[in-house]
C-alpha cells in the first residue's frame, strides 16, 4: 500500500458517536482528577499533620502530592500510549477509565491522620500515583482517538472537544465542591463532605466505561497488521518531534493549570477572596471557557493552527502580570480576570490535541504524544500550585505571574517556527 493511500484513508463511520464516547469518558476521568484540586484545603486539614508554626505547611503538602500525581503522567503516557499503538485506542481508553475509578474511590476512603497516622498520606500518595498513571494515558489515547475520528477539515473542531470534555469534568467537580461548601458546615466538610465527590467519581467511571464499549477503533487495518512498535520507538526515531511537543506544551500547561485550577487558591492567599466566592467565580469562568472551545477549533480549521497559538502565547506573555496583579478582594474583579485569561487560553487548548496528533505518524502517534506531553505537564503544570504557594510562603508572591509569563513567551518562540498542518491530510 502506498503512502498516498494511507494518507487519504477515511475516518471511522458515525463520528458523532466517536466524539461522544471520547468526551463522556474524558469528562469523567478529569472530574476525578480535579476534585482533588478544588478540595485541597480540606484534604490538607484531615490527611496531613498540622504545623504549629506555619498554617501553609499542610496545604503545601497537599499540593506536593498533587505534583507527585503529575509525575506519574509521563509513565502513563508512555505505557498507555504504547497500548494504544499496539492494541488499539479503545483498549487503552478502557484501561484508563477503570484505573481512574479505582483511584478515586481510594482517595474517598483515605483515613485521616488522626486515626491512621502516617499511613493516611501514604494511601493518598498511592491514589494520586494511580490517578497520574491513568490521566497520562488518557490524554495520549483520547487525543489520538479524537483526531483520527474527525472528517476532512474538522480536526480542529474535534480537537476542541478534548478540553470541552475536560472542562465539563472540571466544571462538575467545581460545581459539586461549591455546592458542598455552601450547604455543609465546616465540621461536616472536614468530617465527611470532602469524600463525597471522590466516591461519586468512582461510580461515574463505571458509566464512562460502559459508554466506551460502543466506540469504534480508529487505528487503521494497515497499522493493526503491521509489527508492533517498541516502547521507546517514538523517542528513538522521532526525537525532534518529541522536543517540539515539549516546546508547544510548556507555556500552555502552566497557563492552563494556573487559570483553571490554582487561581481560586491564589486569590484566597493573595487577595483575601472568600473560599466560596473563589469557587463560584471558578465555576462560572469554566462554563464560559467550555463554550469557547469549539469556536477556537473551527477558527483553526479555517485559518490555521499557528495564528491561534500565537494569540495565546503572546497574550499570556504580555498580560499575565497585569491580570494577576489586578486581583483584589472583589468577586467581580476575580471573575473578570478569570474570563479574560480563558479567552486567551482558548488559543492553545482548543487545538492542542490536533497540533500534537499532526506531529507524529500513526504507528507511534499515541506514545509519541503521551510521553513528552505528560512530562512537560508534570514539570510545569503539575508544579504550578506548589510553586505559587511556595512563592507566597517565601514572601515573593509577585514573582509567580512573571514565571507564568516567561514560559508562555518561550512557547511563543516555538509557535513562530511551527509548520502549518491544518490543511494537510492526516496519515492514518
Amino acid at each position: 500500500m502506498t503512502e498516498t493511500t494511507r494518507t487519504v484513508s477515511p475516518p471511522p463511520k458515525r463520528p458523532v458517536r466517536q466524539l461522544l464516547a471520547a468526551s463522556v469518558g474524558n469528562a469523567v476521568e478529569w472530574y476525578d482528577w480535579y476534585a482533588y484540586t478544588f478540595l485541597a484545603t480540606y484534604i490538607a486539614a484531615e490527611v496531613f499533620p498540622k504545623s504549629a508554626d506555619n498554617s501553609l505547611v499542610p496545604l503545601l503538602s497537599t499540593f506536593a502530592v498533587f505534583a507527585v500525581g503529575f509525575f506519574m503522567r509521563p509513565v502513563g503516557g508512555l505505557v498507555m500510549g504504547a497500548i494504544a499503538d499496539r492494541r488499539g485506542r479503545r483498549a487503552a481508553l478502557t484501561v484508563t477509565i477503570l484505573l481512574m475509578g479505582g483511584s478515586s474511590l481510594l482517595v474517598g476512603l483515605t483515613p485521616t491522620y488522626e486515626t491512621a497516622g502516617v499511613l493516611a498520606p501514604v494511601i493518598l500518595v498511592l491514589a494520586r500515583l494511580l490517578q497520574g498513571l491513568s490521566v497520562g494515558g488518557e490524554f495520549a489515547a483520547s487525543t489520538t482517538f479524537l483526531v483520527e475520528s474527525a472528517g476532512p477539515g474538522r480536526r480542529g473542531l474535534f480537537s476542541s472537544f478534548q478540553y470541552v470534555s475536560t472542562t465539563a469534568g472540571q466544571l462538575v467537580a467545581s460545581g459539586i465542591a461549591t455546592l458542598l461548601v455552601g450547604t455543609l458546615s465546616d465540621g461536616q466538610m472536614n468530617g465527611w463532605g470532602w469524600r463525597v465527590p471522590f466516591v461519586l467519581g468512582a461510580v461515574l467511571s463505571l458509566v464512562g466505561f460502559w459508554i466506551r464499549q460502543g466506540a469504534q477503533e480508529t487505528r487503521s487495518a494497515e497499522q493493526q497488521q503491521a509489527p508492533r512498535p517498541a516502547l521507546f520507538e517514538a523517542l528513538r526515531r522521532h526525537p525532534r518531534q518529541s522536543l517540539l511537543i515539549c516546546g508547544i506544551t510548556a507555556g500552555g500547561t502552566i497557563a492552563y493549570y494556573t487559570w483553571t485550577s490554582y487561581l481560586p487558591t491564589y486569590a484566597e492567599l493573595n487577595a483575601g477572596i472568600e473560599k466560596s466566592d473563589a469557587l463560584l467565580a471558578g465555576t462560572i469562568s469554566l462554563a464560559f471557557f467550555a463554550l469557547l472551545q469549539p469556536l477556537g477549533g473551527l477558527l483553526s480549521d479555517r485559518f490555521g493552527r499557528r495564528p491561534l497559538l500565537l494569540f495565546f502565547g503572546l497574550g499570556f506573555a504580555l498580560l499575565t502580570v497585569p491580570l494577576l496583579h489586578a486581583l483584589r478582594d472583589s468577586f467581580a474583579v476575580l471573575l473578570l480576570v478569570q474570563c479574560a485569561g480563558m479567552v486567551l487560553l482558548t488559543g492553545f487548548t482548543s487545538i492542542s490535541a490536533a497540533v500534537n496528533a499532526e506531529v507524529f505518524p500513526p504507528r507511534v502517534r499515541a506514545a509519541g504524544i503521551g510521553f513528552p506531553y505528560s512530562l512537560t505537564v508534570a514539570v510545569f503544570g503539575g508544579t504550578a500550585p506548589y510553586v505559587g504557594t511556595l512563592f507566597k510562603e517565601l514572601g515573593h508572591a509577585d514573582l509567580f505571574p512573571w514565571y507564568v509569563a516567561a514560559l508562555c513567551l518561550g512557547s511563543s518562540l516555538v509557535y513562530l517556527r511551527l509548520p502549518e498542518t491544518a490543511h494537510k491530510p492526516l496519515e492514518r
Side-chain angles (χ1 to χ4, degrees):
M1 185 176 289
T2 67
E3 184 72 20
T4 302
T5 305
R6 289 198 302 268
T7 300
V8 299
S9 176
K13 299 177 182 178
R14 306 179 69 179
V16 174
R17 182 174 181 177
Q18 297 287 99
L19 195 61
L20 178 63
S23 299
V24 173
N26 197 43
V28 172
E29 187 101 3
W30 286 93
Y31 161 84
D32 291 339
W33 179 259
Y34 281 115
Y36 182 93
T37 307
F38 291 120
L39 296 167
T41 53
Y42 296 101
I43 296 172
E46 296 301 308
V47 177
F48 293 95
K50 297 177 177 63
S51 171
D53 299 325
N54 193 334
S55 61
L56 285 177
V57 168
L59 184 59
L60 279 171
S61 300
T62 310
F63 283 142
V65 176
F66 182 75
V68 164
F70 270 87
F71 278 95
M72 279 299 289
R73 289 178 62 166
V75 179
L78 183 64
V79 174
M80 298 299 171
I83 291 175
D85 289 331
R86 295 177 179 185
R87 300 287 185 179
R89 320 310 191 200
R90 193 177 71 169
L93 290 173
T94 299
V95 174
T96 58
I97 198 73
L98 291 177
L99 271 177
M100 182 57 78
S103 57
S104 182
L105 183 61
L106 191 57
V107 173
L109 299 179
T110 298
T112 64
Y113 186 85
E114 184 179 354
T115 58
V118 72
L119 182 62
V122 168
I123 292 175
L124 184 65
V125 168
L126 176 61
R128 288 300 292 181
L129 290 175
L130 291 175
Q131 284 186 325
L133 185 71
S134 173
V135 168
E138 173 69 20
F139 185 88
S142 65
T143 292
T144 307
F145 181 85
L146 268 175
V147 177
E148 290 179 348
S149 295
R154 286 292 181 264
R155 294 199 303 269
L157 176 62
F158 270 56
S159 167
S160 71
F161 280 87
Q162 179 78 36
Y163 277 91
V164 170
S165 55
T166 296
T167 305
Q170 189 173 359
L171 190 60
V172 173
S174 176
I176 289 177
T178 302
L179 179 64
L180 289 171
V181 170
T183 57
L184 298 181
S185 67
D186 286 342
Q188 290 173 320
M189 277 301 301
N190 287 318
W192 56 269
W194 66 269
R195 301 178 184 275
V196 172
F198 299 105
V199 176
L200 177 61
V203 176
L204 292 175
S205 294
L206 295 178
V207 176
F209 170 77
W210 175 72
I211 291 174
R212 284 185 165 175
Q213 296 308 294
Q216 181 184 346
E217 178 56 53
T218 63
R219 197 169 57 134
S220 68
E222 179 191 4
Q223 295 300 326
Q224 294 178 39
Q225 295 167 6
R228 294 175 182 174
L231 184 62
F232 293 99
E233 183 172 326
L235 288 172
R236 189 178 67 252
R237 298 186 61 181
H238 305 280
R240 180 183 174 278
Q241 288 88 336
S242 298
L243 289 174
L244 188 60
I245 294 290
C246 294
I248 291 169
T249 306
T253 188
I254 185 68
Y256 178 77
Y257 283 101
T258 297
W259 242 258
T260 65
S261 299
Y262 179 56
L263 198 55
T265 302
Y266 181 88
E268 288 179 49
L269 294 176
N270 296 283
I273 297 287
E274 291 292 327
K275 185 180 301 181
S276 58
D277 284 345
L279 286 173
L280 179 59
T283 303
I284 295 172
S285 64
L286 282 171
F288 174 66
F289 180 64
L291 294 174
L292 291 174
Q293 301 310 296
L295 176 61
L298 286 169
L299 288 173
S300 80
D301 282 332
R302 181 168 184 179
F303 299 108
R305 318 294 189 217
R306 190 163 50 191
L308 269 75
L309 290 172
L310 288 171
F311 169 76
F312 151 73
L314 295 177
F316 261 97
L318 294 172
L319 297 176
T320 296
V321 174
L323 283 174
L324 291 184
H325 283 177
L327 288 174
R328 58 180 183 269
D329 189 6
S330 167
F331 173 82
V333 171
L334 174 59
L335 182 60
L336 182 61
V337 167
Q338 285 201 289
C339 288
M342 297 305 192
V343 172
L344 295 173
L345 191 56
T346 297
F348 171 79
T349 54
S350 63
I351 59 172
S352 64
V355 172
N356 290 337
E358 289 161 355
V359 167
F360 281 95
R363 175 178 169 80
V364 292
R365 182 169 285 145
I369 294 170
F371 182 73
Y373 174 87
S374 296
L375 181 62
T376 309
V377 170
V379 172
F380 298 110
T383 59
Y386 184 83
V387 170
T389 307
L390 184 61
F391 276 141
K392 172 65 175 178
E393 184 188 12
L394 296 174
H396 298 291
D398 286 348
L399 291 179
F400 182 69
W402 289 101
Y403 171 67
V404 176
L407 287 174
C408 290
L409 179 60
S411 283
S412 296
L413 299 177
V414 176
Y415 305 151
L416 281 170
R417 298 182 59 83
L418 191 67
E420 184 57 70
T421 55
H423 304 120
K424 296 180 179 179
L426 182 72
E427 184 184 347
R428 300 181 189 278

